[in-house]
Amino acid sequence: MNPSRLPEHVEGYGPVRAFDGVRPPPDVVSRAAVRTTPCASGRDKLLPDIDAVFAACNIRDGATLSFHHHLRNGDQLLNQVLAVAARRGLRDLTIAASSIFPVHAPLVEHMRTGVVRRLTTAYMSGPVAEAVSRGVLATPAVMTTHGGRARAIEAGEVHIDAAFIAAPAADRHGNASGAEGRAACGPLGYAMVDARHAERVIVVTDELRVAPPTPLDIHQDDVDFVVRIDSIGDPAGILSGTTRPTTEPVGLRIAEAAADVISASGLLREGFSFQTGAGGVSIAAAMFVRERMLRDGVVGSFCAGGVTAAQVAMLDEGLFSNLYDVQCFDPKAVDSYRRDPRHLAMSASMYANPNSRGPLVERLDAMLLGAAEVDLDFNVNVTTGSDGLILGGSGGHADTAAGAKLAIVTTRLTAGGRPKIVERTRCLTTPGATIDAVVTEVGVAVHPSRQELRDRLLRAGMDVVTIEGLLARARALVPEGIEGPPEDSARVVAVVEYRDGRVTDVVRSTPSRRSMVRVGLSQ
Amino acid sequence: MNPSRLPEHVEGYGPVRAFDGVRPPPDVVSRAAVRTTPCASGRDKLLPDIDAVFAACNIRDGATLSFHHHLRNGDQLLNQVLAVAARRGLRDLTIAASSIFPVHAPLVEHMRTGVVRRLTTAYMSGPVAEAVSRGVLATPAVMTTHGGRARAIEAGEVHIDAAFIAAPAADRHGNASGAEGRAACGPLGYAMVDARHAERVIVVTDELRVAPPTPLDIHQDDVDFVVRIDSIGDPAGILSGTTRPTTEPVGLRIAEAAADVISASGLLREGFSFQTGAGGVSIAAAMFVRERMLRDGVVGSFCAGGVTAAQVAMLDEGLFSNLYDVQCFDPKAVDSYRRDPRHLAMSASMYANPNSRGPLVERLDAMLLGAAEVDLDFNVNVTTGSDGLILGGSGGHADTAAGAKLAIVTTRLTAGGRPKIVERTRCLTTPGATIDAVVTEVGVAVHPSRQELRDRLLRAGMDVVTIEGLLARARALVPEGIEGPPEDSARVVAVVEYRDGRVTDVVRSTPSRRSMVRVGLSQ
């Protein structure tokens, strides 16, 4: 939003194409050519271990390895693969992971020793995020959106040498599903894109079956090798965000206000479509929306996203006819995917790729979003905390905000003694032009371009305030205000890309250790 | 098999890479880049009619339009689209259809008038096949295999400007399924490849729904436009081959002998996998195999292919754990696909593309194949009749023969007063090196390279004969023998490609009208 703040070139990243406003996609794009290796007749795809994969795929220094995060904070595959890479003496790898969680802490050491030189991901939290923030990685991390990652892979901007797919169940030919198995995690939506576009595709499973698990998320004709290991991860780690509605009064007030905004917007009518994250406020808001749908006899079309038990319940009640699911957030969602054909898998490209022939995010009526900070231009930061350290990233935040007719940010005025409404976000993740309303415990601010929405909320008797008013209220609560941004001279440790690849911001290194503020965000 | 017979260059086709023996796939292949058009936010994909598609997609002279044949002889989409093309005055189109049936007779006129200049397909029967045989098309038709078609499209050798997908049910965003709707036809396996690789993808449906039909065969992110028309075709036309077991004594004897070959081969054990076509002998043979499996307590792994009620019954009985289905041959198969998650859709590439990372055909134990002619080298012709006219084409014939451990041709010695065992096939569709046994009413001939199979059949007490012996028996029945091939000077009207794109044969024009011999083949 302030392109002048961006450097024109970032060492280790290249020239910066600055974000300068939301634009429609190009008229024509190209899905890149992919080199693949036919599987000669009779060749057995099953390899004894991950080490054998490195030999079979001829993975060398500088290769790009991709991973997906359906097991979230329970994933163990990335760590196991990189341990093998380190043992084999590999250097300068690029890790293209859809998200990074605290469980991936061992990656820090691989960054430090030079096994890993580059990292591109849509979200990171925990030790890796802190290490990146402090400059441990040799090059700036590239922080994409979920849709932007799919776009970049399809366009060939990110060339994956080997995609590692953690499959809760698979057969020895590579047919795999996230619906079955000990570590069942739901549709492997992010991995679907990697499987179609990586030069080598390796399915790693801890439940090797004779018959293919169903529904098939990954098909044998996209898979080079299959490996059985003891454990791909801990399915309990899928539940790494809040998946219950908040019971806390301020959170409930915000949730109800968000539902009021949706009601007042006029969108809560037949065919309504809806997405929320997995946070407690979002789920509470979904429950309020549910009540209104039941009360008014509204039958919606679909819920999308990361799917939780809340959406499954609404599907089961007939409030929606379908779920479109790129990843599950809890076991009830996994179970629904396994048993209910109306619960549809979608790839990350179908979900959010802005250059696809129709991403689902563009069919969303309402989207509930979290925020670490919101500024006077309605810009949202979900990438860094008030201490300057990386605490997340867009995930699908910027994608759904751009796509939804009504993108609502729910946030408290302050958290952890810091204001969340600020003059200017420390980091620009999601452009304010794609945000329609900011819902707080003291009122709703509507983006100035949405006068008609503002009028609707006023007619509905809601507390409509200005964003400046919210800033003033936040400052009154934590009068010290926000700290200044880091020096422009500090090294760039991460480049934040909008879904189309333009750069919205950079993150500069934070050398000293300060307390980290975390917010519960879904990615 | 006789490359010296092939011209080095065919006018309107180009240089001929002669088939000179079965070879493994290349070490590395490339899936071609694809130009696609992002769907800008809010754009409605729904167009009023097919004419609007031509304008929206800017379809011009010389464009390549693709079609799939899941509605088989009931399909009406190809005819409707070409009628529009002709009305718009288009010229020199290439038609890339997975198969052509008698219902596509209007195509003959489009070939005659120059609306259509090129045709590539894996199978053709009826008036179009006859017209091509007589030289009506300006250029030689290219006759591929089902797997070869998928390979050529993925490799970019066949560039599709616009893929027309006849969808029995779809939503306005392009999510489509063959499982539901008035003209439900089963998985849209051939269209899946086109949808991924065409520059423009148009879903045409006669059942436009608010909610997406399931299972999803085609996903919205691959679809540019959606059109609703009155009828995409007559679902009764799906049943265009025999789908009941033969009750005729000679056919039954052949069917039982084929089952005996499978039993004696040693492959009929746990994990057995199996494919047959839809002919009466094949289905009868499947029923004999079923009896043996029940008797011996054998539980197989999967049936593949074109799926009929016979395979569905064996899935329902627990004789197989899965069906892999690229197209359905009858309503019971369609119903099974709709209701049973073990009945899996597969794309043509997953089915048979020799350059994929593992086509299903290579996992087949036994395959039952038909034939118009078999020669002393075990070469099979399913492309032309004894009158020289085109009567079919490989479909999956050459693909499954190459992939299966045991490829069995079932055939009578003669049909329609013509021998079916011949010295040399008029046209080489499927190389003899990929055929293991020829089963007739007077005995089984085993390919000389399969001595171990021959020994097993002898030990099982079967009538093992030589192919020369079969030829002699056939000649004794129809002593006039076969006619000589057409003059080498006659114009080439079709080029027959092996699954890897090398040319096995050419078909030369047959100017005079002679009676056509048809055999029931599945494609």
Side-chain angles (χ1 to χ4, degrees):
Chain A
M1 226 47 187
N2 186 356
S4 64
R5 208 166 80 182
L6 292 177
E8 287 180 8
H9 186 279
V10 171
E11 185 67 30
Y13 175 81
V16 169
R17 273 198 311 134
F19 175 81
D20 54 358
V22 176
R23 289 198 206 133
D27 289 341
V28 175
V29 298
S30 182
R31 225 162 31 209
V34 186
R35 273 165 52 101
T36 61
T37 306
C39 181
S41 183
R43 176 170 79 66
D44 190 352
K45 291 183 181 181
L46 197 63
L47 292 178
D49 53 32
I50 291 168
D51 193 69
V53 170
F54 277 77
C57 296
N58 195 19
I59 296 173
R60 289 189 281 199
D61 289 353
T64 296
L65 313 184
S66 86
F67 301 90
H68 60 100
H69 70 285
H70 295 90
L71 284 164
R72 298 169 64 82
N73 203 36
D75 173 60
Q76 276 299 335
L77 184 59
L78 187 148
N79 292 342
Q80 292 186 55
V81 169
L82 289 190
V84 171
R87 259 201 315 275
R88 291 177 68 95
L90 287 172
R91 312 272 310 165
D92 296 334
L93 298 176
T94 294
I95 302 306
S98 51
S99 293
I100 294 286
F101 286 88
V103 72
H104 299 123
L107 177 53
V108 174
E109 189 59 19
H110 298 307
M111 299 187 321
R112 208 167 260 141
T113 57
V115 173
V116 171
R117 183 178 173 79
R118 294 177 187 278
L119 173 62
T120 173
T121 188
Y123 176 92
M124 60 173 109
S125 64
V128 173
E130 179 168 349
V132 167
S133 304
R134 299 206 186 282
V136 170
L137 188 64
T139 64
V142 179
M143 303 204 60
T144 64
T145 71
H146 281 328
R149 179 180 188 272
R151 181 198 57 74
I153 291 169
E154 292 202 358
E157 291 171 18
V158 171
H159 173 91
I160 301 171
D161 293 293
F164 288 87
I165 298 178
D171 70 18
R172 66 189 298 140
H173 311 284
N175 296 302
S177 178
E180 303 188 1
R182 186 190 59 84
C185 60
L188 304 177
Y190 299 109
M192 289 174 188
V193 175
D194 301 26
R196 286 297 298 171
H197 296 277
E199 201 162 319
R200 291 293 206 162
V201 176
I202 304 98
V203 161
V204 184
T205 188
D206 50 13
E207 193 156 321
L208 190 68
R209 298 186 173 186
V210 174
T214 61
L216 282 187
D217 293 320
I218 303 291
H219 297 78
Q220 65 172 59
D221 54 319
D222 281 329
V223 177
D224 291 280
F225 296 105
V226 177
V227 181
R228 201 193 70 73
I229 61 175
D230 289 340
S231 170
I232 59 169
D234 177 6
I238 297 172
L239 272 168
S240 44
T242 308
T243 59
R244 290 178 173 284
T246 186
T247 53
E248 187 274 318
V250 175
L252 278 175
R253 202 181 318 154
I254 295 172
E256 186 160 20
D260 289 341
V261 171
I262 294 172
S263 292
S265 73
L267 293 167
L268 196 61
R269 59 191 174 345
E270 187 180 329
F272 176 63
S273 59
F274 188 36
Q275 182 172 342
T276 72
V281 172
S282 287
I283 295 176
M287 293 294 99
F288 284 115
V289 168
R290 170 182 168 271
E291 279 173 24
R292 285 163 170 71
M293 292 177 78
L294 286 169
R295 184 192 66 201
D296 302 341
V298 171
V299 176
S301 54
F302 67 86
C303 287
V307 169
T308 67
Q311 281 96 48
V312 171
M314 291 192 278
L315 178 70
D316 289 344
E317 287 175 316
L319 292 180
F320 292 95
S321 57
N322 292 92
L323 303 181
Y324 287 97
D325 189 349
V326 67
Q327 67 164 142
C328 288
F329 284 142
D330 62 37
K332 285 216 169 120
V334 177
D335 179 59
S336 165
Y337 176 54
R338 184 167 37 229
R339 69 178 159 75
D340 191 336
R342 300 171 304 165
H343 186 147
L344 298 162
M346 65 178 167
S347 73
S349 197
M350 178 170 171
Y351 170 39
N353 176 356
N355 287 0
S356 90
R357 302 194 248 211
L360 203 85
V361 292
E362 295 189 356
R363 292 173 52 196
L364 282 172
D365 285 332
M367 175 71 203
L368 293 184
L369 298 157
E373 293 174 331
V374 185
D375 74 15
L376 294 180
D377 288 324
F378 289 71
N379 294 322
V380 180
N381 171 20
V382 289
T383 304
T384 58
S386 59
D387 53 6
L389 296 175
I390 295 169
L391 54 57
S394 170
H397 198 283
D399 299 309
T400 51
K405 288 192 187 70
L406 179 62
I408 301 172
V409 171
T410 59
T411 182
R412 290 152 201 258
L413 291 178
T414 68
R418 303 279 182 175
K420 297 188 70 178
I421 311 296
V422 296
E423 194 170 333
R424 174 140 321 273
T425 54
R426 281 182 163 260
C427 182
L428 170 51
T429 316
T430 298
T434 62
I435 300 296
D436 300 296
V438 176
V439 177
T440 70
E441 66 272 36
V442 298
V444 180
V446 178
H447 192 276
S449 69
R450 298 296 310 275
Q451 281 306 318
E452 180 251 353
L453 175 64
R454 185 170 170 276
D455 294 345
R456 281 177 174 270
L457 302 192
L458 286 171
R459 281 202 300 276
M462 294 193 65
D463 288 331
V464 178
V465 295
T466 62
I467 191 79
E468 293 78 8
L470 291 179
L471 176 64
R473 295 284 294 265
R475 282 185 168 165
L477 291 171
V478 280
E480 70 272 28
I482 61 164
E483 298 166 42
E487 293 297 316
D488 277 4
S489 59
R491 193 185 134 210
V492 172
V493 294
V495 175
V496 181
E497 289 186 352
Y498 194 54
R499 54 205 303 248
D500 60 11
R502 287 178 297 161
V503 174
T504 53
D505 217 332
V506 295
V507 180
R508 294 185 184 270
S509 75
T510 302
S512 63
R513 180 172 294 270
R514 287 182 268 183
S515 68
M516 293 169 73
V517 177
R518 298 194 174 281
V519 290
L521 299 170
S522 65
Q523 57 308 119
Chain B
M1 228 44 191
N2 188 357
S4 65
R5 211 166 78 180
L6 292 178
E8 287 180 6
H9 186 279
V10 171
E11 184 67 30
Y13 174 82
V16 169
R17 273 197 311 134
F19 176 81
D20 54 358
V22 177
R23 289 198 207 133
D27 289 342
V28 175
V29 297
S30 183
R31 227 166 22 212
V34 185
R35 273 165 52 102
T36 61
T37 305
C39 182
S41 184
R43 175 170 80 66
D44 190 354
K45 292 182 181 181
L46 197 63
L47 293 178
D49 53 32
I50 290 168
D51 192 69
V53 170
F54 278 76
C57 296
N58 195 19
I59 296 173
R60 288 189 282 197
D61 289 353
T64 296
L65 313 184
S66 86
F67 301 89
H68 60 101
H69 70 284
H70 294 90
L71 284 164
R72 300 168 65 80
N73 203 38
D75 173 61
Q76 276 299 336
L77 184 59
L78 187 147
N79 293 341
Q80 292 186 55
V81 169
L82 289 190
V84 171
R87 259 203 313 278
R88 291 178 67 95
L90 286 171
R91 311 272 309 164
D92 296 334
L93 299 176
T94 294
I95 302 305
S98 51
S99 293
I100 295 286
F101 286 89
V103 72
H104 298 124
L107 177 54
V108 174
E109 189 59 20
H110 299 307
M111 299 188 320
R112 208 167 258 138
T113 56
V115 173
V116 171
R117 182 177 173 80
R118 294 176 187 280
L119 173 63
T120 173
T121 188
Y123 176 93
M124 60 173 109
S125 63
V128 173
E130 180 169 348
V132 167
S133 304
R134 299 206 187 281
V136 170
L137 188 64
T139 64
V142 180
M143 304 205 57
T144 64
T145 71
H146 282 328
R149 180 181 189 271
R151 180 199 57 73
I153 291 169
E154 292 201 356
E157 291 171 19
V158 171
H159 173 89
I160 301 171
D161 293 292
F164 288 86
I165 298 179
D171 69 19
R172 67 189 298 139
H173 311 285
N175 295 303
S177 177
E180 303 187 2
R182 187 190 59 84
C185 59
L188 305 177
Y190 299 109
M192 289 174 189
V193 175
D194 300 26
R196 287 296 297 170
H197 296 278
E199 201 162 319
R200 291 293 205 163
V201 176
I202 304 98
V203 161
V204 184
T205 189
D206 51 12
E207 193 156 319
L208 190 68
R209 297 187 173 185
V210 174
T214 61
L216 281 187
D217 293 321
I218 303 291
H219 297 79
Q220 65 173 59
D221 53 320
D222 281 330
V223 177
D224 291 278
F225 296 105
V226 177
V227 180
R228 202 194 69 73
I229 61 176
D230 289 340
S231 171
I232 59 169
D234 177 6
I238 298 173
L239 272 169
S240 45
T242 309
T243 60
R244 292 179 173 282
T246 185
T247 53
E248 186 273 320
V250 174
L252 277 175
R253 202 181 319 154
I254 296 172
E256 186 160 19
D260 288 342
V261 171
I262 293 172
S263 292
S265 74
L267 292 168
L268 196 61
R269 56 187 175 350
E270 186 181 328
F272 175 64
S273 59
F274 187 37
Q275 182 173 341
T276 73
V281 172
S282 286
I283 295 176
M287 294 293 98
F288 285 116
V289 168
R290 170 182 168 273
E291 278 173 26
R292 285 161 171 72
M293 292 177 77
L294 286 169
R295 185 191 67 201
D296 301 342
V298 172
V299 176
S301 53
F302 67 87
C303 287
V307 170
T308 67
Q311 282 97 48
V312 171
M314 291 193 278
L315 178 70
D316 289 343
E317 288 175 318
L319 291 180
F320 292 94
S321 56
N322 292 92
L323 303 182
Y324 288 97
D325 190 348
V326 68
Q327 68 164 140
C328 288
F329 283 141
D330 62 36
K332 286 215 168 120
V334 177
D335 178 60
S336 164
Y337 176 52
R338 184 167 37 229
R339 69 179 159 76
D340 192 336
R342 299 171 306 165
H343 186 148
L344 298 162
M346 64 178 168
S347 73
S349 197
M350 178 170 171
Y351 170 40
N353 176 356
N355 287 0
S356 91
R357 303 194 248 212
L360 203 85
V361 292
E362 295 189 356
R363 292 173 51 196
L364 282 171
D365 284 333
M367 175 71 204
L368 294 185
L369 298 157
E373 294 174 331
V374 185
D375 74 15
L376 294 180
D377 289 324
F378 289 71
N379 295 319
V380 180
N381 171 20
V382 289
T383 303
T384 58
S386 60
D387 53 6
L389 297 175
I390 295 169
L391 54 56
S394 171
H397 198 284
D399 299 307
T400 51
K405 288 192 187 69
L406 179 62
I408 301 172
V409 171
T410 59
T411 182
R412 289 152 202 258
L413 291 178
T414 67
R418 302 279 182 175
K420 297 189 69 178
I421 311 295
V422 296
E423 195 170 330
R424 175 146 316 277
T425 53
R426 280 182 164 261
C427 182
L428 170 51
T429 316
T430 298
T434 63
I435 300 295
D436 300 297
V438 176
V439 178
T440 71
E441 66 272 36
V442 298
V444 180
V446 177
H447 192 277
S449 70
R450 298 295 312 274
Q451 280 307 316
E452 181 251 352
L453 175 63
R454 186 171 170 277
D455 294 345
R456 282 177 175 269
L457 303 193
L458 286 171
R459 280 203 301 276
M462 294 193 66
D463 288 332
V464 178
V465 295
T466 62
I467 191 79
E468 292 79 8
L470 291 179
L471 176 63
R473 296 284 292 267
R475 282 183 168 168
L477 293 171
V478 280
E480 70 272 29
I482 60 164
E483 297 166 43
E487 294 297 316
D488 277 4
S489 58
R491 192 184 135 210
V492 173
V493 295
V495 176
V496 181
E497 289 187 351
Y498 193 55
R499 54 205 303 250
D500 59 11
R502 286 178 297 160
V503 174
T504 54
D505 217 332
V506 295
V507 180
R508 292 183 185 271
S509 75
T510 302
S512 64
R513 180 172 294 269
R514 287 182 268 182
S515 69
M516 293 170 72
V517 176
R518 298 195 174 280
V519 290
L521 298 169
S522 64
Q523 59 304 123

